[in-house]
Amino acid sequence: VSTTSSAVAVQDGLATLGSDALRIMDGLDALYRHWASLAGATRMLFPPLVRVDALDRIDYFHNFPHLGLAAAPLDESRFSELAASGLGSDRLLPGALGASRYMLPSAACYQIYNHHAGATIDAPLYVTTTARCYRNETTYDDLRRLWGFTMCEIVCLGEQDAVLDHLARFRQRVGDALETLGIGTAIEKAGDPFFDRRGAVAVLQALVPTKEEFVCGRVAVGSLNFHRNFFGERCEIRLGTGAPVFTGCVAFGVERWLWMLLDRFGGDADAACAGLASLHR
Amino acid sequence: VSTTSSAVAVQDGLATLGSDALRIMDGLDALYRHWASLAGATRMLFPPLVRVDALDRIDYFHNFPHLGLAAAPLDESRFSELAASGLGSDRLLPGALGASRYMLPSAACYQIYNHHAGATIDAPLYVTTTARCYRNETTYDDLRRLWGFTMCEIVCLGEQDAVLDHLARFRQRVGDALETLGIGTAIEKAGDPFFDRRGAVAVLQALVPTKEEFVCGRVAVGSLNFHRNFFGERCEIRLGTGAPVFTGCVAFGVERWLWMLLDRFGGDADAACAGLASLHR
């Protein structure tokens, strides 16, 4: 056990970050905030739990049941037994749990659409938020695939063109930044189950990709996501015309950026922070 | 729905914070970091989920089963049913959940003791961490009592005298700061189930209180906690002599500080930020 850890320790898909790693995380936060301000995005922080019915209306339980983690209270009828003897086990069986109205978020931007449910968007709206996200993955891979991780998103809600412009600007901005940092990345098209299930016609009709990823060493460190009017429809967020709003987001997996920077700068936190700061000075 | 919220919205014990509130949260983070640096504390970030067995060994399921929230995956045998029809409900019943090895943290410092399990502490060790914490409360009260909230802690692990000195310094430091801000608070003794259960003899022998709270308008905005060698014993963290380490923490409920500052400065984020900054310039 390192008692004054400055480093990173990952076990069972969960990361412990020491002071050096946190300085890099601070540098990443500053960079994402800078980018958000360039987009005119309002910074918001949303509840760390998502209502089950809010996820149900965006087909979450259809598409991602395997990733989901519910926040479940313990069953009251078990309290006296627990108080007498403790748990005495490394796990809680379902019979010890009560009903759950909340899930842990698996992406940061769901809460943005949820928050704006029922709203009318008269001009393009840009919102940025960072959230701790959770995915019940079957395998882990150091900082590259965690149960609990941090996601920063910069979202546009508006007309289709505004959303596509937002994504195009970030495609360039993030690509330039990674190049400046000397990090080799490729932009790759990726699938997204929100849309893939809509069948071949929808896929053929897609003139623009729904998801592109910034891939570094086979790891997607960021993505550009065009949701068309899916969240607008499901969450009843409307344009001034009454039509469902279009949405799109740029998303960063923050611990993956941390991994990428530790790799690029050989674990030198000062050099990583200087590199990040050079991108917005 | 306020689409470009700068304010605070609380519903069902969950808070949404807009940009003004987040500026105050940033100011609080800077203040707590300043205080942590005065204490020589190393900044760390711990996993956002706590192992069930790590909580069991500190009597969590004896003392706090009612507050607990498990992170439970969905039962695999239900996936195809969910994929076919979605959930169609506002809650997941226990039968839809799988076994859980993790709980959401209800306090930030548990992970510090957990991380140092098995370690030997030769000189006083100071660690600071901030965590999103969760409590399955039966009633909510705006920012003052939330299901999900932020806790910042500055912990000392060492000999009893080092821990008591740490707490005494923060008793003075935090009290002075609140007075400088023009916020009326009282320091009140409080109970702590970790120790109250140890019976009358232990209580009589307690020459120092185990818990004191900074109370503002009946709300505890911070606490000073002396755990004696409880976590040292349970997590097998030892002094150089081989004896269990003593621990103590100062803990801040960050959203409660936000509430207190919004109240003190009449919702003026600039004034609140200036007040906070004046404390460490």
Side-chain angles (χ1 to χ4, degrees):
Chain A
V1 175
S2 166
T3 52
T4 53
S5 179
S6 60
V8 171
V10 182
Q11 190 173 19
D12 293 335
L14 295 168
T16 300
L17 305 185
S19 52
D20 279 355
L22 289 175
R23 285 196 295 128
I24 300 174
M25 295 290 273
D26 288 344
L28 288 167
D29 184 55
L31 176 63
Y32 303 145
R33 282 206 211 181
H34 170 70
W35 283 343
S37 73
L38 293 179
T42 300
R43 197 171 147 230
M44 298 188 75
L45 183 69
F46 295 96
L49 297 169
V50 191
R51 287 175 62 105
V52 156
D53 46 9
L55 288 172
D56 197 31
R57 77 176 160 198
I58 57 170
D59 295 343
Y60 182 86
F61 295 101
H62 178 106
N63 289 313
F64 305 114
H66 54 291
L67 295 183
L69 287 165
L74 306 189
D75 184 337
E76 277 187 52
S77 70
R78 301 286 299 274
F79 288 178
S80 57
E81 178 192 333
L82 289 169
S85 62
L87 183 67
S89 167
D90 73 341
R91 65 198 62 207
L92 288 155
L93 297 178
L97 303 176
S100 170
R101 290 190 303 133
Y102 294 101
M103 301 286 285
L104 292 166
S106 60
C109 68
Y110 297 158
Q111 292 287 56
I112 296 178
Y113 315 124
N114 195 24
H115 177 76
H116 290 91
T120 297
I121 309 283
D122 290 316
L125 179 66
Y126 302 90
V127 179
T128 185
T129 198
T130 297
R132 191 62 61 87
C133 295
Y134 301 80
R135 293 182 183 178
N136 179 33
E137 303 275 8
T138 50
T139 59
Y140 312 119
D141 182 18
D142 194 68
L143 287 175
R144 295 177 292 272
R145 189 170 296 278
L146 294 165
W147 250 58
F149 61 98
T150 311
M151 188 183 294
C152 175
E153 299 204 42
I154 307 166
V155 172
C156 174
L157 304 93
E159 302 272 5
Q160 172 162 300
D161 286 353
V163 173
L164 293 177
D165 285 350
H166 174 72
L167 297 177
R169 279 191 293 268
F170 272 97
R171 194 180 199 276
Q172 187 72 43
R173 187 172 282 151
V174 176
D176 288 351
L178 291 168
E179 192 178 328
T180 301
L181 289 170
I183 295 171
T185 49
I187 297 180
E188 295 180 6
K189 289 189 189 185
D192 190 318
F194 277 126
F195 309 102
D196 291 352
R197 63 181 288 233
R198 297 188 155 199
V201 176
V203 171
L204 287 172
Q205 285 179 339
L207 298 177
V208 289
T210 56
K211 190 183 195 77
E212 291 185 302
E213 293 177 334
F214 297 95
V215 177
C216 170
R218 294 192 186 175
V219 176
V221 297
S223 63
L224 302 163
N225 302 276
F226 178 51
H227 315 121
R228 300 184 209 157
N229 56 10
F230 175 80
F231 292 112
E233 276 184 355
R234 296 304 178 90
C235 300
E236 300 184 42
I237 312 170
R238 295 195 172 82
L239 293 163
T241 62
V245 77
F246 286 76
T247 63
C249 65
V250 51
F252 305 111
V254 187
E255 285 82 359
R256 288 181 173 183
W257 278 65
L258 173 60
W259 158 75
M260 177 175 74
L261 288 163
L262 286 170
D263 185 62
R264 165 65 183 84
F265 293 100
D268 182 339
D270 289 333
C273 290
L276 289 171
S278 75
L279 297 173
H280 54 105
R281 265 184 197 154
Chain B
V1 176
S2 165
T3 51
T4 53
S5 180
S6 59
V8 172
V10 183
Q11 191 174 18
D12 294 336
L14 294 169
T16 299
L17 305 185
S19 53
D20 280 354
L22 289 175
R23 286 197 294 129
I24 300 174
M25 296 289 273
D26 288 344
L28 287 168
D29 185 55
L31 175 62
Y32 302 145
R33 283 207 211 180
H34 171 70
W35 284 343
S37 74
L38 292 180
T42 301
R43 198 171 145 228
M44 299 188 74
L45 183 69
F46 295 97
L49 297 169
V50 191
R51 287 175 62 106
V52 157
D53 46 9
L55 289 172
D56 196 32
R57 77 175 159 198
I58 57 169
D59 294 342
Y60 182 86
F61 295 101
H62 178 106
N63 290 311
F64 305 115
H66 54 291
L67 295 182
L69 288 165
L74 306 189
D75 184 339
E76 276 187 53
S77 70
R78 301 285 299 274
F79 288 177
S80 57
E81 178 193 332
L82 289 168
S85 63
L87 183 66
S89 168
D90 73 342
R91 64 196 63 206
L92 288 155
L93 297 178
L97 303 176
S100 169
R101 291 190 304 132
Y102 294 100
M103 301 287 285
L104 291 165
S106 60
C109 68
Y110 297 159
Q111 293 285 56
I112 295 177
Y113 315 123
N114 195 23
H115 177 75
H116 290 91
T120 297
I121 309 283
D122 290 317
L125 179 66
Y126 302 89
V127 179
T128 187
T129 197
T130 296
R132 190 63 60 88
C133 295
Y134 301 79
R135 294 181 183 178
N136 179 33
E137 303 276 8
T138 51
T139 59
Y140 312 120
D141 182 17
D142 194 70
L143 288 175
R144 293 176 293 273
R145 189 170 296 277
L146 294 165
W147 251 57
F149 61 97
T150 312
M151 189 184 294
C152 175
E153 298 204 43
I154 307 166
V155 172
C156 174
L157 305 92
E159 303 273 4
Q160 173 163 301
D161 286 352
V163 173
L164 294 177
D165 285 350
H166 174 71
L167 297 177
R169 279 191 294 269
F170 271 97
R171 193 179 199 277
Q172 186 73 44
R173 187 172 282 150
V174 177
D176 288 352
L178 291 168
E179 191 178 327
T180 301
L181 290 170
I183 294 171
T185 49
I187 297 181
E188 296 180 4
K189 288 188 188 184
D192 190 318
F194 276 126
F195 308 103
D196 292 350
R197 64 183 288 234
R198 296 190 154 199
V201 175
V203 171
L204 286 173
Q205 285 179 340
L207 298 177
V208 289
T210 56
K211 190 183 195 76
E212 291 185 300
E213 293 178 334
F214 297 95
V215 177
C216 170
R218 293 192 187 175
V219 176
V221 296
S223 62
L224 302 163
N225 302 274
F226 178 51
H227 315 120
R228 302 186 207 157
N229 55 11
F230 175 81
F231 291 112
E233 276 184 356
R234 296 303 178 88
C235 300
E236 300 184 40
I237 313 169
R238 295 195 172 82
L239 292 164
T241 62
V245 78
F246 285 75
T247 64
C249 65
V250 52
F252 305 112
V254 188
E255 285 81 0
R256 288 182 172 182
W257 280 66
L258 173 60
W259 159 75
M260 178 174 74
L261 288 163
L262 287 169
D263 184 63
R264 164 65 183 83
F265 292 100
D268 182 340
D270 289 334
C273 290
L276 289 171
S278 75
L279 297 173
H280 54 104
R281 263 180 196 155

